[in-house]
Amino acid sequence: MTAHDSTDGARDTELHDLEDLLAQVFADSSPVPFDRELWSTLADLGLTRLTGAPARGGSGAGWAEAARLLVAAGASAAAVPVAENDLLAGWLSEVAELSEVGADVAGIRTVAVLDDTGRARHVPWARVVDSVVTLWKSPHVWRVAEMPVGRFSSEPGENAAGEPRDTLLLREAADGGEPDGGVAVPDRVTAELELRGALARSLLMVGAMERTLELVVEHTCVRTQFGRPLGKFQAVQHLVADIAAETALTRAAAEAAVDVLASVGGPLSDTADLDRARFAVAAAKSCAGHAAAVVVRNAHQCLGAIGFTAEHELHRHTARLLAWRAEFGSTRRWDEVLLDSAVAAGSAGLWPLVTDSA
């Protein structure tokens, strides 16, 4: 065994141990609007700022670890803002080198992009956070600041799964003012923020799809009709097979995007890295969006009316799949990104683009 093989083996063991830990942590998640007890447990384990720099209160992990955390959270329908606090708000704070980062590691953060009226719509988890890492254009450069949530007025909202998606309005903007201060950041930061959000949603969807598949297989193996299990009927087998295929495709595309971002090892500072990441994330989010339609339809066909009841777990996952596919860019938007990238690559560059071998 070479030193390289030994290192890879140790790395695989670490990731497997993390998956085991996450399975135990999320086993006790509760179907509530915000699971504060689970969030406290995640914070104690250093998982709420998993990818943050150690010097700023984070655990120093990368995309590989974050992917496993998000898949586990998606599989349990966990009501906690793990993506928003770490991969989005935490990352944006670090990129802008905000002095507030690390001052309160236990605090909960989300991210919001303000329009020219000082408003941000459908802000994830806004009602439960302590502060909002805010991004806005003023007037020719993007700026970032971390603001206490009290600086905003709020209009409650929810996505299709009942998760908080409030509309925030900066109080000074409501009086005709503009955000003050903030740290200037390059335009690429806004593009990378969207990519990180889209990939985070794709990974959450992988977890939700895989749990949905487990529930469908369990039900069709146990539930009998006409004297035999539902899973013995060929029509049902086709439905389950389609769920499995779409789920596997989504996981493969999401893992490929994780590998691309992990290979960069830092901010997407040049055009080539940004283009690679955009194509990979577009493929992941597009696959997740198209797969969600098949997975949700087939799962509810297999379970029938019971899948819609409050007592059954299924609807918690399928509702999230339908909600998450529309966040951080619709399926149509990411389809268009893929098309534009393919056209720009041309016949000579298409295969290297698809295989990430340019």
Side-chain angles (χ1 to χ4, degrees):
M1 177 182 291
T2 66
H4 179 72
D5 292 336
S6 178
T7 301
D8 287 347
R11 175 65 169 162
D12 291 341
T13 299
E14 290 175 356
L15 293 175
H16 181 71
D17 290 344
L18 176 60
E19 289 176 345
D20 289 343
L21 171 64
L22 292 171
Q24 296 176 38
V25 170
F26 285 106
D28 296 326
S29 64
S30 302
V32 294
F34 172 56
D35 195 338
R36 194 168 295 277
E37 183 177 348
L38 174 60
W39 183 259
S40 178
T41 300
L42 293 171
D44 290 342
L45 293 170
L47 297 173
T48 56
R49 283 294 284 118
L50 180 61
T51 65
R56 294 175 176 265
S59 299
W63 268 105
E65 292 82 3
R68 283 157 175 80
L69 172 60
L70 291 171
V71 169
S76 67
V80 287
V82 287
E84 290 76 15
N85 187 72
D86 181 25
L87 289 168
L88 303 181
W91 169 81
L92 187 56
S93 294
E94 290 190 12
V95 167
E97 298 183 348
L98 300 181
S99 59
E100 292 88 347
V101 175
D104 182 13
V105 177
I108 308 173
R109 299 169 176 84
T110 191
V111 66
V113 181
L114 300 182
D115 61 20
D116 55 7
T117 69
R119 192 184 309 273
R121 294 174 171 81
H122 311 299
V123 179
W125 303 100
R127 72 188 66 169
V128 304
V129 303
D130 302 298
S131 62
V132 182
V133 180
T134 309
L135 181 69
W136 74 94
K137 193 75 171 286
S138 174
H140 303 298
V141 64
W142 287 98
R143 292 187 175 277
V144 176
E146 185 166 348
M147 303 178 182
V149 73
R151 284 186 64 179
F152 298 88
S153 60
S154 177
E155 180 182 333
E158 296 179 342
N159 64 14
E163 295 178 312
R165 297 294 187 267
D166 302 338
T167 295
L168 299 181
L169 175 63
L170 196 63
R171 293 188 187 278
E172 52 260 47
D175 298 328
E178 294 183 357
D180 55 356
V183 176
V185 294
D187 289 352
R188 64 155 182 85
V189 169
T190 62
E192 185 169 352
L193 180 66
E194 182 186 36
L195 295 181
R196 295 174 73 89
L199 182 53
R201 287 295 183 268
S202 300
L203 290 163
L204 287 167
M205 292 175 73
V206 169
M209 289 182 196
E210 291 182 343
R211 180 55 182 157
T212 296
L213 178 60
E214 291 176 356
L215 293 171
V216 170
V217 170
E218 177 184 341
H219 179 82
T220 55
C221 287
V222 173
R223 178 75 172 178
T224 59
Q225 196 68 262
F226 304 111
R228 55 178 176 163
L230 288 176
K232 295 295 185 180
F233 292 91
Q234 190 174 57
V236 175
Q237 293 172 358
H238 288 166
L239 293 173
V240 178
D242 284 345
I243 295 174
E246 296 290 345
T247 299
L249 176 61
T250 301
R251 173 176 273 277
E255 288 181 344
V258 167
D259 288 344
V260 169
L261 267 67
S263 70
V264 175
L268 304 175
S269 55
D270 62 52
T271 302
D273 285 340
L274 189 58
D275 288 346
R276 283 180 64 213
R278 182 181 292 111
F279 183 82
V281 171
K285 193 63 160 61
S286 173
C287 285
H290 289 290
V294 176
V295 171
V296 171
R297 180 193 66 215
N298 288 15
H300 282 287
Q301 282 186 315
C302 288
L303 269 75
I306 193 174
F308 293 97
T309 62
E311 292 78 13
H312 200 279
E313 180 185 343
L314 179 64
H315 70 95
R316 295 173 56 198
H317 304 290
T318 54
R320 282 169 169 76
L321 286 173
L322 296 178
W324 289 340
R325 69 174 179 174
E327 296 181 346
F328 292 98
S330 66
T331 303
R332 177 176 177 176
R333 163 169 160 64
W334 292 112
D335 286 349
E336 291 172 348
V337 171
L338 289 176
L339 176 60
D340 292 343
S341 298
V343 171
S347 58
L350 183 58
W351 182 248
L353 175 69
V354 172
T355 59
D356 191 37
S357 59

